[in-house]
Amino acid sequence: MQKFRKAAAYLVVIASVAVATSPSFAQSTIRSVDPGPRLLESYIAYIGPQDLYNSRGIRLTEPWQILRQDRANFHRYGKADRADQYDSFFADERNRAAKEVMLMRGTIQARAARDLVSGGAMILVEIYGRGSVGEYIDVSVMR
């Protein structure tokens, strides 16, 4: 009986090692490759005269400043143009503060940048990132 128990214990160990080294066990440890940033959210906004000036009345001259002011006007000050859509991402003030870096990592065509600074432009902003962290934005102007 003692020999039987000892043999059974050895078989359990051998079976455990066989399972742990089998290809089917190894499959559970494979990780997928990060697919990269994905579209988190998008919104449409109209860049009106109120978006061209900061809260101290100073004329803004950079596209990222105007984009940020548009979202601050919408979310913080309740000043929305008729075509402005809600977005949850830039409702967070910290995300609005990161907008300059996000635009530098993203794309905006030269004409779109000029149209933004001039005002009167309808824009589409696409926010890309991983999880809830934004990495870059792409801005298109629709005239």
Side-chain angles (χ1 to χ4, degrees):
M1 186 68 142
Q2 185 71 5
K3 286 183 179 182
F4 178 73
R5 284 188 187 148
K6 201 172 193 181
Y10 283 127
L11 285 175
V12 168
V13 169
I14 291 170
S16 297
V17 169
V19 168
T21 59
S22 74
S24 63
F25 183 78
Q27 293 290 330
S28 67
T29 61
I30 293 175
R31 292 195 176 128
S32 63
V33 176
D34 180 4
R38 63 178 182 82
L39 180 64
L40 299 178
E41 189 171 8
S42 65
Y43 67 92
I44 293 173
Y46 178 77
I47 303 302
Q50 65 192 6
D51 300 320
L52 302 177
Y53 295 86
N54 69 15
S55 56
R56 295 187 307 268
I58 298 171
R59 176 66 159 93
L60 303 172
T61 59
E62 297 295 330
W64 67 267
Q65 294 172 323
I66 294 166
L67 289 170
R68 183 177 177 181
Q69 188 63 47
D70 170 72
R71 291 294 88 185
N73 284 344
F74 187 91
H75 291 293
R76 183 173 183 189
Y77 301 115
K79 299 178 187 176
D81 291 298
R82 206 167 41 156
D84 286 355
Q85 291 181 342
Y86 175 82
D87 74 284
S88 62
F89 188 81
F90 290 118
D92 185 326
E93 188 173 350
R94 293 170 297 191
N95 290 340
R96 289 195 303 271
K99 207 163 195 176
E100 176 183 13
V101 173
M102 292 177 70
L103 183 56
M104 287 189 310
R105 292 179 184 159
T107 59
I108 184 169
Q109 293 180 352
R111 178 174 178 198
R114 286 191 305 273
D115 287 349
L116 267 173
V117 173
S118 298
M122 183 73 71
I123 61 168
L124 168 66
V125 178
E126 297 174 307
I127 306 159
Y128 291 87
R130 290 177 174 88
S132 62
V133 178
E135 293 184 21
Y136 65 91
I137 58 174
D138 288 338
V139 180
S140 304
V141 172
M142 303 172 287
R143 287 253 182 205

